[in-house]
């Protein structure tokens, strides 16, 4: 089989082919974080990490009349001589002023969804408390500022804000420092989104004892979803926090180290470098490993999977001047194809070979026998491929738990609504966790929420937060989050919200040819369980808020003359 679509890197040639493969009890070791947050709110809802330098560091002014604010609404107004933006929210008669952009990637929050007590980002679904700006759902590590609001006698709404917070538009939640007199040790295994969020939340919730973060990678936690979108990203550019941040808050990071065993009776984690690590409480978030099929030639050079920044950089480097085949139509595969195509100076076409079986990989001849040159299909055809990227799913990293007594289900760790395993003082989250979620899987108020293991960055971060809250204050927080996925492919923004294991109909609205204003509703019976959108923000965010408030969207609602009438309720 000959393929003619060429994709061109700057200064080089590359061809991209996608093949779809078939087969509150606070102890002496815990500071009252609620008291810390009260102090923060008194100090203009700022961050304790930015010092109060006096009145010269504040901006104050009237932004609007109270009569201009409708109940259950949000608007952006300008504040100060620099015309900085503030988001003003009125809900339940209370007026709040917040940072106007999401702390994750800077999306304008006024174009998102206003829920009950939260504003949800239109791009990626992060949620911020409308009363204090705290981040309540993810992605993102930071909260947004919340400013002082005064309604004057004449009805003028006056806002007072710190200049530094106006400029930054985000803040780090208050965290306690390490107290060396406290010997209690909390261990987190895994340096992904769940682990990174967990260690920060432990300090935010007032735990001042020892925190150890063990990660198999040689880098600090970074923004992993960027890897397939920016293959040449460096660890420094996508790090979630700086080395100084972890040092300041006494969070020990152990790099290049893996857990190879767990003794729950002795409360010890066995590490691959020979030592054992004691824990009083443990959070396991070891993520997953890309699936690598047992096929002839799969171990040839330039056959890649993508998990780490090192993997991404190798793919970017080796793809220059090479023909590339991507096996599998996963989002990772599609994003890689989009990245390579976007780097082309001409002919951005991506050739799809659908419903194909991959039988193996063929090496070159002579001195190139160790290099992949072809992909062999079940039809017997050969596809030219000097670089192959496998996007065929992933396997949870839980082999080291098989003899631990922890309940595993198809390789995933079963947890309850507090992210607890069946073993005392052991929590789990992220890709490996089969955890509850908010969904329309059953009639409202009937039965338990569905459980599933879903490899989404947003869910992993939320798992880390919930686990940390319950490690510090048992039974204080449940997993109440809505699965939310996002990507961008060749300039088209794709969102997915909800969870559906089985559906019997998909109702599609919008222009599929131009890929604009597309909303696909996944239905089961008379209910809409999930939606996927293309260039239709903030519909996915609005649907997520619908699930969060447990207000079912019925199939009949989307079959009306305007299928989006429900977004105006």
């Amino acid at each position: 089989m000959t393929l003619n679509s060429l994709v061109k890197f700057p200064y080089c040639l590359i061809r991209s082919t996608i093949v779809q493969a078939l087969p509150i009890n606070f102890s002496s070791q815990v500071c009252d974080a609620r008291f810390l947050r009260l102090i923060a709110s008194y100090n203009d809802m700022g961050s304790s990490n930015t010092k109060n330098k006096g009145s010269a560091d504040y901006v104050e002014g009237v932004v609007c009349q109270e009569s201009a604010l409708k109940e259950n609404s949000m608007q952006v107004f300008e504040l100060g001589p620099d015309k900085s933006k503030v988001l003003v929210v009125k809900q339940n008669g209370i007026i709040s002023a917040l940072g106007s952009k999401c702390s994750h990637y800077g999306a304008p929050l006024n174009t998102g969804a206003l829920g009950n007590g939260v504003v949800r980002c239109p791009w990626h679904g992060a949620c911020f408390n409308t009363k204090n700006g705290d981040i309540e759902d993810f992605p993102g590590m930071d909260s947004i500022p919340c400013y002082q609001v005064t309604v004057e006698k004449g009805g003028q709404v006056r806002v007072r804000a710190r200049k530094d917070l106006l400029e930054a538009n985000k803040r780090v939640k208050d965290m306690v420092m390490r107290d060396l007199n406290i010997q209690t040790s909390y261990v987190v295994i895994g340096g992904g989104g769940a682990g990174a969020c967990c260690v920060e939340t432990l300090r935010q919730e007032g735990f001042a004892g020892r925190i150890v973060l063990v990660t198999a990678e040689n880098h600090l936690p970074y923004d992993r979803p960027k890897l397939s979108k920016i293959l040449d990203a460096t660890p420094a550019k996508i790090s979630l926090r700086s080395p100084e941040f972890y040092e300041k808050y006494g969070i020990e990071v152990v790099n290049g180290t893996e857990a190879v065993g767990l003794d729950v009776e002795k409360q010890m984690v066995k590490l691959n470098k020979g030592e054992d690590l004691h824990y009083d409480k443990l959070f396991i978030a070891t993520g997953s490993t890309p699936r690598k099929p047992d096929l002839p030639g799969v171990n040839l050079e330039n056959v890649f999977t993508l998990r780490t920044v090192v993997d991404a950089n190798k793919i970017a480097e080796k793809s220059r001047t090479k023909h590339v085949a991507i096996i599998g139509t996963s989002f990772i595969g599609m994003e890689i194809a989009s990245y390579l195509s976007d780097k082309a100076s001409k002919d951005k076409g991506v050739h799809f070979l659908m419903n194909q079986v991959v039988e193996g990989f063929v090496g070159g001849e002579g001195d190139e026998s160790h290099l992949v040159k072809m992909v062999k299909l079940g039809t017997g055809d050969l596809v030219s491929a000097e670089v192959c990227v496998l996007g065929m799913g992933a396997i949870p990293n839980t082999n080291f738990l098989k003899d631990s007594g922890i309940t595993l289900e198809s390789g995933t760790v079963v947890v309850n609504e507090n992210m607890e395993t069946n073993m005392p003082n052991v929590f789990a989250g992220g890709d490996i966790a089969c955890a509850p979620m908010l969904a329309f899987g059953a009639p409202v108020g009937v039965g338990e929420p569905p459980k599933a293991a879903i490899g989404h960055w947003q869910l992993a971060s939320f798992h880390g937060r919930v686990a940390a809250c319950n490690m510090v204050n048992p039974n204080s927080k449940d997993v109440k989050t809505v699965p939310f996925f996002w990507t961008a492919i060749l300039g088209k923004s794709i969102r997915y919200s909800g969870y559906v294991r089985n559906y019997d109909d998909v109702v599609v609205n919008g222009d599929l040819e131009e890929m604009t204003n597309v909303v696909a509703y996944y239905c089961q019976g008379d209910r809409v369980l999930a939606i996927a959108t293309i260039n239709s923000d903030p519909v996915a965010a609005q649907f997520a808020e619908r699930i969060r408030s447990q207000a079912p969207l019925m199939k009949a609602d989307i079959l009306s003359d305007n299928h989006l009438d429900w977004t105006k309720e």
Side-chain angles (χ1 to χ4, degrees):
M1 180 177 292
T2 303
L3 303 177
N4 298 314
S5 58
L6 293 178
V7 180
K8 195 171 183 180
F9 255 161
Y11 316 115
C12 60
L13 282 171
I14 175 171
R15 180 163 63 190
S16 179
T17 303
I18 296 186
V19 180
Q20 184 191 42
L22 301 175
I24 298 204
N25 296 314
F26 293 95
S27 65
S28 60
Q29 68 198 32
V30 178
C31 299
D32 193 335
R34 289 174 296 182
F35 178 74
L36 290 175
R37 287 195 286 272
L38 178 62
I39 296 298
S41 64
Y42 181 77
N43 187 26
D44 294 339
M45 288 299 174
S47 166
S48 62
N49 300 293
T50 306
K51 295 182 180 179
N52 184 349
K53 299 177 182 178
S55 60
D57 291 320
Y58 284 78
V59 177
E60 185 172 349
V62 173
V63 296
C64 67
Q65 289 291 126
E66 184 181 13
S67 59
L69 302 175
K70 295 180 180 180
E71 174 62 24
N72 204 40
S73 69
M74 55 182 175
Q75 299 179 58
V76 169
F77 295 97
E78 294 179 346
L79 175 66
D82 295 333
K83 297 184 177 180
S84 300
K85 301 290 194 300
V86 296
L87 181 72
V88 178
V89 178
K90 184 176 182 180
Q91 197 168 61
N92 298 321
I94 299 173
I95 299 173
S96 304
L98 307 165
S100 63
K101 296 180 180 179
C102 178
S103 64
H104 184 223
Y105 288 171
L109 290 174
N110 65 302
T111 64
L114 181 61
N116 183 17
V118 298
V119 56
R120 184 181 289 268
C121 170
W123 294 354
H124 307 136
C127 291
F128 303 92
N129 188 297
T130 56
K131 293 182 180 179
N132 57 26
D134 283 356
I135 188 167
E136 294 195 351
D137 206 338
F138 302 86
M141 303 298 291
D142 295 322
S143 297
I144 58 175
C146 185
Y147 311 118
Q148 285 184 349
V149 175
T150 304
V151 179
E152 299 178 343
K153 290 184 178 180
Q156 298 94 339
V157 177
R158 180 176 292 274
V159 175
R160 184 173 188 263
R162 289 210 325 239
K163 283 185 177 180
D164 57 338
L165 293 176
L166 276 173
E167 293 173 1
N169 214 50
K170 60 183 178 180
R171 62 181 176 84
V172 177
K173 288 180 68 173
D174 291 274
M175 300 167 65
V176 300
M177 300 296 183
R178 169 78 164 99
D179 185 344
L180 295 176
N181 294 315
I182 298 173
Q183 298 303 309
T184 305
S185 179
Y186 288 0
V187 174
V188 175
I189 307 175
C197 194
C198 182
V199 295
E200 287 197 29
T201 304
L202 288 172
R203 289 284 186 249
Q204 291 165 2
E205 292 299 303
F207 177 68
R210 186 187 185 199
I211 299 176
V212 183
L213 175 64
V214 179
T215 171
E217 296 193 54
N218 292 315
H219 311 290
L220 293 175
Y222 55 81
D223 194 351
R224 195 181 303 277
K226 285 186 175 179
L227 293 183
S228 53
K229 304 172 184 70
I230 312 173
L231 291 171
D232 58 355
T234 62
K237 287 185 177 180
I238 60 175
S239 287
L240 298 175
R241 298 296 190 198
S242 67
E244 293 76 18
F245 178 90
Y246 291 105
E247 182 178 356
K248 176 180 179 179
Y249 293 105
I251 298 170
E252 303 172 39
V253 181
V254 181
N255 291 111
T257 304
E258 298 180 40
V260 294
L262 176 64
D263 188 328
V264 294
E265 290 187 2
K266 296 181 179 179
Q267 296 187 204
M268 301 290 287
V269 179
K270 183 174 181 57
L271 305 178
N272 64 336
K273 293 187 176 178
E275 63 271 24
D276 293 338
L277 184 61
H278 170 75
Y279 67 86
D280 290 290
K281 291 187 180 179
L282 174 68
F283 178 59
I284 306 170
T286 43
S288 55
T289 297
R291 191 181 303 277
K292 201 168 185 179
D294 184 16
L295 293 173
V298 74
N299 293 317
L300 287 168
E301 281 190 31
N302 295 344
V303 177
F304 296 104
T305 57
L306 175 59
R307 176 66 182 176
T308 70
V309 68
V310 174
D311 297 333
N313 292 170
K314 284 183 179 178
I315 294 170
E317 177 188 355
K318 296 295 184 180
S319 294
R320 292 188 174 92
T321 74
K322 302 293 192 264
H323 295 168
V324 179
I326 299 169
I327 314 301
T329 52
S330 65
F331 275 111
I332 284 181
M334 299 284 284
E335 288 165 354
I336 292 172
S338 177
Y339 171 87
L340 298 179
S341 179
D342 189 53
K343 295 298 179 182
S345 60
K346 65 178 181 178
D347 189 359
K348 296 178 181 290
V350 178
H351 193 136
F352 283 82
L353 300 178
M354 306 301 291
N355 299 316
Q356 298 292 328
V357 173
V358 175
E359 288 197 345
F361 304 88
V362 181
E365 298 180 355
D367 293 341
E368 294 189 334
S369 61
H370 62 294
L371 299 173
V372 68
K373 292 295 181 180
M374 298 279 185
V375 177
K376 185 178 180 181
L377 303 180
T379 59
D381 292 316
L382 296 175
V383 177
S384 177
E386 297 165 287
V387 171
C388 290
V389 184
L390 308 179
M392 305 174 68
I395 302 169
N397 293 326
T398 56
N399 282 340
F400 74 102
L401 298 175
K402 286 184 176 178
D403 298 323
S404 66
I406 289 177
T407 300
L408 299 176
E409 187 175 284
S410 300
T412 63
V413 180
V414 179
V415 297
N416 65 11
E417 67 277 4
N418 298 144
M419 303 309 297
E420 297 170 302
T421 70
N422 61 308
M423 291 297 174
N425 301 317
V426 180
F427 300 73
D431 292 5
I432 68 169
C434 183
M437 73 195 80
L438 290 178
F440 287 156
V444 176
V446 178
E448 296 183 357
K451 283 187 177 184
I454 303 175
H456 289 185
W457 186 256
Q458 167 257 336
L459 282 172
S461 300
F462 198 88
H463 289 172
R465 171 176 164 77
V466 171
C469 289
N470 291 304
M471 290 165 77
V472 178
N473 304 302
N475 303 313
S476 62
K477 189 170 183 63
D478 294 348
V479 183
K480 292 183 178 179
T481 184
V482 181
F484 197 101
F485 178 83
W486 71 92
T487 188
I489 297 173
L490 296 176
K492 304 297 184 182
S493 296
I494 300 172
R495 321 285 184 219
Y496 176 90
S497 179
Y499 172 73
V500 54
R501 181 169 291 158
N502 298 300
Y503 56 90
D504 51 37
D505 192 16
V506 181
V507 179
V508 180
N509 290 276
D511 190 335
L512 288 174
E513 288 294 326
E514 295 297 326
M515 289 292 178
T516 56
N517 301 318
V518 175
V519 181
Y521 298 90
Y522 292 82
C523 305
Q524 186 179 65
D526 61 352
R527 288 171 176 252
V528 179
L529 302 186
I531 68 171
T533 70
I534 303 175
N535 285 12
S536 296
D537 294 337
V539 177
Q542 291 169 319
F543 183 76
E545 276 309 301
R546 189 106 180 191
I547 297 179
R548 182 175 175 271
S549 62
Q550 286 294 285
L553 180 61
M554 310 307 291
K555 188 175 181 180
D557 297 331
I558 64 169
L559 298 178
S560 61
D561 291 339
N562 184 351
H563 71 98
L564 292 177
D565 280 344
W566 62 271
T567 66
K568 302 169 186 176
E569 295 176 0

